[in-house]
Amino acid sequence: MYEQGVIRPPSEAQSLLIRVTRNCPWNQCIFCPAYKGVKFSRRSVEEVKKDIDNMAKEYESYRGMIKSAFLQDADSLVLKTQDILEIINYTREKFPGLERITTYARATTLKRKTAEELKQLQEAGLTRIHVGMESGSAKVLKMIKKGITPEDIVEGGKKVVEAGMSLSEYIMPGVGGRTMSEENAVETARLLNQIRPDFIRVRTFAMHPMSPMRRLVTDGSFVAMNDAEIVGEIKTLVANLDEMHTYFSCGDFSLNLLMQVDGPLNEKKTYMLSELDKFLTLAPEQQKAYALIRRSSYMNYPIEAVYDEELMKKILPEIEKLEKDDPEGFYKYIEHLKSYQLPQPQTDDWN
Ligand code: SF4
């Protein structure tokens, strides 16, 4: 028996999941369902070691073939550095084939670690840190109660890069709503150009039906963006990013409409901008048709799918049906489809 947390990055799908803390020590972001309803706690090194022993027994026959491990949950580096080092060393002893150990960390937690501590972690084998920055805009970060500032993001991110670890920054186009869309894109790009992480992973915003963000919609302070508007925001973001070594990724998350916008910025920025433009120059009905095709399945489709007359004969009447009694019916349906892909809060009372 061993514990596992509810989420991990898609890139860690094959990784050993080692739970070193439970849930999220901050847990106040108003868009995030993952740990709502459950309390944060630290696990003792002894407890984690018992889990590692049990995993080693369970995976005995192919223990040496396991190549990567991910330390859960949302902010593992809140543990004392000495404790994390002990856990990493023990994990590597029991799983000698490990080539990569990674974890999530909040920017404020990274900021608190000294350069020496991060270097020690890197030398012990912590190879990558996944950070949810969401936005580079101070106003957006405040609205979503992220509990971090742009300065925290830059300082925390740069410390990881300087320690020689790989850095994945997660960003959320659309989370500022229509009124802050431009600022969200420009400020996010400005920070990322300073940090120069190895990965920028795009997580298109979708609102959970139980999210307290609904109240911002009701009072008019948040205007949700549709797919075409979010593609426009991503275009502004990409246009403002430097042609650096960073891998810009829409391809690992199916809530991103154009998953083909994916690649190193120093090689594929022009291609990515042209794909974004290809969608943005479609007629509004074609954009809706493409969104409906994509949102109805997990498959990626080329934008040219909208030039398939047979397919369009099936899709356009569906859009008409959705808009027959409510001009917003199509967008509401798309939002509903998107919300199915979000993690579920672990409570019925998410406030
Ligand atoms: S987004 Fe991250 S920091 Fe915010 S509540 Fe969710 S897990 Fe915690």
Side-chain angles (χ1 to χ4, degrees):
M1 284 284 286
Y2 47 85
E3 280 193 33
Q4 285 194 333
V6 287
I7 57 168
R8 45 108 188 117
S11 56
E12 306 297 339
Q14 307 301 324
S15 300
L16 198 66
L17 301 179
I18 300 171
R19 194 176 207 194
V20 304
T21 65
R22 298 183 185 95
N23 312 309
C24 173
W26 172 250
N27 212 14
Q28 293 186 45
C29 305
I30 58 172
F31 64 89
C32 170
Y35 302 106
K36 294 300 184 290
V38 282
K39 285 207 170 79
F40 171 76
S41 63
R42 293 160 202 263
R43 301 189 71 210
S44 70
V45 173
E46 287 318 308
E47 202 179 344
V48 176
K49 279 184 174 176
K50 270 188 208 146
D51 273 7
I52 297 167
D53 288 339
N54 288 338
M55 285 187 239
K57 268 186 222 145
E58 182 169 328
Y59 304 135
E60 180 56 37
S61 55
Y62 54 99
R63 200 152 54 101
M65 288 156 66
I66 294 176
K67 300 283 179 224
S68 57
F70 177 73
L71 308 182
Q72 293 179 307
D73 278 336
D75 192 15
S76 312
L77 298 195
V78 289
L79 290 182
K80 285 187 196 134
T81 301
Q82 209 46 47
D83 289 352
I84 308 167
L85 288 169
E86 202 174 329
I87 291 168
I88 291 174
N89 290 338
Y90 195 70
T91 308
R92 295 188 65 186
E93 189 186 312
K94 296 287 169 178
F95 292 88
L98 285 178
E99 291 169 1
R100 195 182 79 204
I101 302 179
T102 77
T103 192
Y104 283 132
R106 279 173 55 76
T108 40
T109 305
L110 292 168
K111 219 176 107 174
R112 277 196 300 271
K113 293 280 182 211
T114 64
E116 293 71 34
E117 285 175 301
L118 290 173
K119 194 69 199 158
Q120 279 180 324
L121 289 166
Q122 185 268 337
E123 283 169 358
L126 187 63
T127 42
R128 181 177 297 161
I129 308 284
H130 299 268
V131 181
M133 68 175 271
E134 329 304 354
S135 171
S137 153
K139 281 189 210 151
V140 173
L141 291 168
K142 193 165 175 220
M143 177 187 75
I144 63 176
K145 298 202 174 139
K146 185 72 196 174
I148 56 176
T149 63
E151 293 73 28
D152 296 332
I153 293 170
V154 174
E155 194 178 332
K158 278 186 166 179
K159 276 177 119 171
V160 172
V161 174
E162 280 158 18
M165 285 185 261
S166 166
L167 175 65
S168 265
E169 292 279 0
Y170 291 73
I171 56 162
M172 202 167 259
V175 75
R178 199 176 290 158
T179 39
M180 289 200 273
S181 173
E182 174 84 10
E183 168 164 345
N184 194 33
V186 172
E187 288 301 297
T188 301
R190 189 175 68 81
L191 263 52
L192 289 166
N193 286 339
Q194 292 175 55
I195 303 168
R196 304 180 103 72
D198 297 286
F199 298 91
I200 297 171
R201 299 194 185 274
V202 179
R203 299 294 181 254
T204 289
F205 173 71
M207 195 179 298
H208 193 284
M210 287 164 69
S211 163
M213 275 188 90
R214 293 264 165 218
R215 287 201 288 273
L216 303 185
V217 177
T218 313
D219 73 19
S221 54
F222 182 86
V223 184
M225 296 167 74
N226 63 37
D227 272 321
E229 289 168 326
I230 293 180
V231 169
E233 183 176 312
I234 295 174
K235 186 189 161 189
T236 307
L237 170 78
V238 174
N240 279 278
L241 284 168
D242 290 347
E243 290 188 23
M244 50 191 164
H245 78 289
T246 307
Y247 195 101
F248 184 88
S249 179
C250 288
D252 67 343
F253 191 63
S254 59
L255 271 176
N256 298 327
L257 188 74
L258 304 180
M259 292 175 75
Q260 64 273 40
V261 176
D262 198 271
L265 285 160
N266 57 2
E267 290 172 25
K268 292 183 90 175
K269 178 171 166 172
T270 308
Y271 158 78
M272 292 193 273
L273 286 172
S274 73
E275 278 298 297
L276 291 158
D277 267 335
K278 209 190 281 178
F279 178 83
L280 292 169
T281 51
L282 293 176
E285 286 311 303
Q286 290 172 317
Q287 290 180 341
K288 285 183 184 171
Y290 183 81
L292 188 56
I293 299 166
R294 267 284 292 110
R295 300 296 182 204
S296 307
S297 86
Y298 286 90
M299 286 195 35
N300 197 13
Y301 286 87
I303 294 168
E304 289 75 11
V306 300
Y307 300 122
D308 180 333
E309 286 182 16
E310 289 306 309
L311 186 63
M312 291 298 272
K313 269 189 214 160
K314 288 184 199 149
I315 298 292
L316 292 177
E318 294 300 322
I319 297 172
E320 270 171 41
K321 239 188 268 171
L322 288 165
E323 292 180 334
K324 191 164 165 271
D325 299 321
D326 177 0
E328 292 299 306
F330 171 81
Y331 295 118
K332 287 181 185 163
Y333 182 64
I334 293 287
E335 283 312 303
H336 176 70
L337 291 178
K338 283 164 76 178
S339 71
Y340 277 122
Q341 294 184 47
L342 296 170
Q344 292 307 311
Q346 299 173 60
T347 173
D348 293 331
D349 182 26
W350 174 13
N351 281 305

